[in-house]
Amino acid sequence: AGEGDPAILNLPPWSTSLGQPVAANPYGMPSKFERGLQRRESPGLTRVGGSSVAFTPLQGLFGIITPSGLHFERHHQGWHDVDPSKHRLMINGLVKTNAVFTMDDIMRLPSVSRIHFIECGANTGMEWGNVAVPTVQYSHGMISCSEFTGVPLKEILDMCGADYKKGRFVLAEGADGSSMTRTIPMELIESGEVLVAYGMNGEMLRPENGYPLRLVVPGVQGVSWVKWLRRIEVGDKPWATKDEAVHYVDLMPDGLHRQYTSIQECKSVITTPSGGQLLLDKGFYNISGMAWSGRGKVTRVDVSTDGGINWRQARLETPVLSKAVTRFNIDWVWDGKPAILQSRAVDETGYVQPSYGQLRKVRGTKSIYHNNAIQSWKVVESGEVSNVQVL
Ligand code: MTE
């Protein structure tokens, strides 16, 4: 140490030579030193990449917005880069005038931009019975949060003269080969929150995320956010399509399946320190994480470092938005002894994120969807952090 740090004493090449010209990367890319941060498929989880999921690396992200290139992907039958000049949106069913919109037609309409999370109902789905995966990327990485731009679906239905009295449901259909069709209750559309979106984080949607058009259904599980949206039908009852009658159902402890559970309940997770990371030494750490609720705003997050015996209130960083990710932070001085880190979120309805014990009492252990239990990360004396379950 007496000799000084050469990294500060000697001028590096980037201080003594010309840098690269502008537009060397016409569409900017992250630093080559950040290449490790990527969407990743969970090895062995699915058999073919066309019907699979790539998880967002939550452990390396800050704030509330997911960079578009790291937004998680879930496809039932692969993705296409759809030619927008050939894409159409059809409106039919209980409307006065059936209509077919081109992308140009849609992009002329009044638009709004809103920040919302999208979480696959299957997020954390492998953890119902016991610990299944090592990192937060795989345990919680089926959530992303973006600014979406588009037209409220209500505006488009108004233009077509939708019969809101009889037409209490809409069916949304995607243009891919998976025949993805989902029923959306009309109340959600009447609230003005459901968007027919073409923009994400200030640019057009990425092909993997539904370019050129997808449905945005704030607070509702990702499967209803139909990508490559090609048709909206107004009807008087739910359609009971394959992806709502057979898939995306919850097996309850009494052996019955629950259908149409679509709202993503309040949930949170600590993203640093988290599974697979290493604390270098005892001393100060910033514990950081994400909280969200499909029912509105997050009002409070408490953090425990002793497995749920004592809790301290975390700082909620602005902005705190409805049905969006909220970033929380809290100071922690690690004494070098074993610790268990947990976060517990509360939303504006007063709902408190449950422990695994509380959730399993109601839901059992055989579900896939809607696991919003408190996540625990164990820190051992070596500084290694791993995934554990605490009831
Ligand atoms: N829409 C279509 N047309 N096809 C699909 O396979 N997958 C759904 C939904 N919309 C899907 C779809 C599922 S299950 C989820 S979780 C979200 O899209 C994922 O959106 P993302 O890939 O943009 O993250």
Side-chain angles (χ1 to χ4, degrees), residues 367-379:
S367 269
I368 298 170
Y369 305 102
H370 307 295
N371 177 353
N372 66 327
I374 292 172
Q375 171 66 38
S376 304
W377 301 118
K378 184 174 170 186
V379 182

Side-chain angles (χ1 to χ4, degrees), residues 71-74 76 120 176 209 214 222 225 227-228 248:
H71 191 292
F72 83 95
E73 300 171 72
R74 168 77 178 102
H76 289 238
C120 182
D176 54 331
N209 306 116
R214 87 174 303 167
W225 296 48
K227 300 191 276 190
W228 313 289
Y248 298 92

Side-chain angles (χ1 to χ4, degrees), residues 299-303 311-315 329-330:
T299 52
R300 178 180 177 125
V301 177
D302 293 309
V303 168
W311 295 90
R312 286 188 296 142
Q313 193 171 346
R315 302 189 304 276
N329 288 300
I330 190 168

